[in-house]
Amino acid sequence: MAEEVLTLSQHLKVSGVAQDLRRLIVSFAYVSLDAQHHFPKYLRGAAGDKNKYGEAVARLDEWINGYYCDELVKTGLVRKIYSEELRQPLLGSPHAPFIVTIDPLDGSSNINTNNSFGTIMGIYRDDLPQAGRKLVAALYKLYGPLNTLVYSAGNGSHEFVKHYDGSGNAQFLLLAENVKLPVKGEVFGVGGDPLDWSPKFLKFAKDLFRVEKLKVRYSGTFVADFSQILHRGGIFAYPQTRSAPRGKLRLTYEAAPMAFILEQAGGKSWDGSRSLLDAKALDVDARTPLYMGNDYLIEKLKKALGKRG
Ligand code: FDP
């Protein structure tokens, strides 16, 4: 007899996740499944706008942001949405239980080349500013050759994969429960211009190859690079550089939710001074240097940079 595999909503229920939170996570999952059917319509041309960071907005960026925001507001579970693509937060139902952060399309430069990209969502009960440690849940969807969704509601990190049921309906089935980083890391992903790294970080990076024997892996999509660390162990960094002392990635939309998932999977995160879960920015669009990976590699990094953190 075929082995019974839990669906996402069954898993949330048996894990004791609160009912309102379960509903929001499942809604996100269905929106992410539907969204993908529409991608081909939004591939040609640019939206023509620049976002609040001055970056060109792809048509798909613009569409997917609107789609997620509309559908999440429709659930009636969301009080406010902070989106990387919105200049101002979007107001939902005034008495709804959740505040949501979203990076609707992480890895825009990978759209045209048909490489993986993703969506990241963070869920809080209280309004921002908040440290990531106050997240009640975090999720990401990876639109890749496989369509995977990882969530944590503070009870470990769990991975699901899109399947079709007998009637052709898409659903998420459990792929790996309580994912843990392998004890020994295997890969090193790093963004930013190596010619602009500090000499200490450059030496650390060289040591990762020479001493730790890590292999280089960088896709240009944070979600995809993160997924490699989650499964293969190692370290992902988008470091501070001399010309970009705050790095590139955003604390609220990208770093905090992924640090929540990572630390629930036994990994460690760091921003150069503290865990990314303890960093709190008054500016919702603030960038942060970002280091995520196996505990022993983050400790080695701290030593290499002369920090105790
Ligand atoms: P993108 O700008 O293409 O959306 O923060 C967004 C991000 O991609 C991350 O997904 C990725 O890790 C990084 O920026 C890629 O930056 P580089 O192009 O500098 O490598």
Side-chain angles (χ1 to χ4, degrees):
M1 208 171 93
E3 192 193 340
E4 186 81 22
V5 179
L6 292 183
T7 63
L8 174 63
S9 49
Q10 287 167 337
H11 188 267
L12 286 160
K13 199 163 179 188
V14 299
S15 307
V17 175
Q19 198 186 11
D20 52 1
L21 186 55
R22 259 169 27 215
R23 280 179 49 218
L24 185 58
I25 291 174
V26 169
S27 300
F28 171 91
Y30 279 107
V31 178
S32 80
L33 289 174
D34 284 346
Q36 200 166 6
H37 292 302
H38 298 280
F39 288 172
K41 287 188 254 170
Y42 299 96
L43 294 180
R44 292 188 186 80
D49 289 336
K50 297 248 164 132
N51 64 15
K52 56 194 169 186
Y53 313 104
E55 300 159 347
V57 177
R59 274 186 80 210
L60 189 57
D61 274 320
E62 188 179 72
W63 176 80
I64 201 170
N65 177 60
Y67 193 66
Y68 268 104
C69 288
D70 289 351
E71 295 300 316
L72 290 172
V73 165
K74 276 189 217 160
T75 63
L77 292 163
V78 173
R79 222 156 57 247
K80 220 188 240 185
I81 301 179
Y82 292 87
S83 166
E84 195 180 283
E85 293 299 329
L86 293 178
R87 286 173 201 271
Q88 296 297 331
L90 184 73
L91 299 180
S93 316
H95 302 295
F98 298 113
I99 302 291
V100 160
T101 67
I102 190 160
D103 178 1
L105 205 162
D106 175 65
S108 309
S109 69
N110 278 330
I111 300 171
N112 293 343
T113 55
N114 189 21
N115 283 302
S116 299
F117 49 84
T119 300
I120 305 169
M121 180 161 95
I123 307 175
Y124 297 84
R125 286 205 184 259
D126 295 321
D127 203 351
L128 301 181
Q130 295 280 349
R133 223 168 265 293
K134 295 282 174 165
L135 280 156
V136 291
L139 299 85
Y140 72 80
K141 169 80 198 311
L142 182 52
Y143 312 97
L146 294 176
N147 282 283
T148 53
L149 180 145
V150 173
Y151 90 86
S152 178
N155 58 343
S157 290
H158 315 290
E159 185 174 48
F160 295 78
V161 63
K162 174 181 163 186
H163 273 267
Y164 291 93
D165 66 14
S167 322
N169 299 314
Q171 57 181 343
F172 281 113
L173 295 184
L174 185 62
L175 184 62
E177 188 170 40
N178 226 347
V179 185
K180 293 286 174 212
L181 268 67
V183 175
K184 168 88 180 77
E186 221 188 302
V187 298
F188 176 36
V190 62
D193 179 356
L195 301 178
D196 205 17
W197 290 346
S198 71
K200 284 180 179 171
F201 186 78
L202 186 62
K203 181 173 178 308
F204 167 74
K206 286 182 181 167
D207 262 16
L208 291 181
F209 300 119
R210 281 194 199 122
V211 181
E212 299 296 336
K213 307 289 179 207
L214 299 191
K215 294 177 189 170
V216 71
R217 286 287 187 280
Y218 184 68
S219 77
T221 287
F222 175 42
V223 170
D225 289 318
F226 178 92
S227 179
Q228 304 211 52
I229 301 298
L230 194 62
H231 288 282
R232 302 179 68 180
I235 184 163
F236 175 78
Y238 208 115
Q240 69 177 144
T241 59
R242 281 176 289 222
S243 58
R246 299 299 308 155
K248 177 177 183 195
L249 302 188
R250 279 88 186 182
L251 176 64
T252 303
Y253 309 111
E254 298 169 303
M258 298 301 257
F260 188 82
I261 292 170
L262 176 81
E263 297 200 8
Q264 286 289 324
K268 281 280 151 44
S269 72
W270 200 52
D271 75 349
S273 308
R274 60 184 81 72
S275 157
L276 281 157
L277 288 181
D278 292 321
K280 183 169 169 177
L282 295 179
D283 174 5
V284 76
D285 296 316
R287 297 173 192 270
T288 181
L290 179 147
Y291 310 91
M292 290 184 169
N294 286 81
D295 194 4
Y296 72 95
L297 294 172
I298 296 291
E299 287 307 316
K300 187 176 172 120
L301 171 69
K302 288 179 188 171
K303 256 196 218 136
L305 299 189
K307 312 254 179 141
R308 289 214 234 111

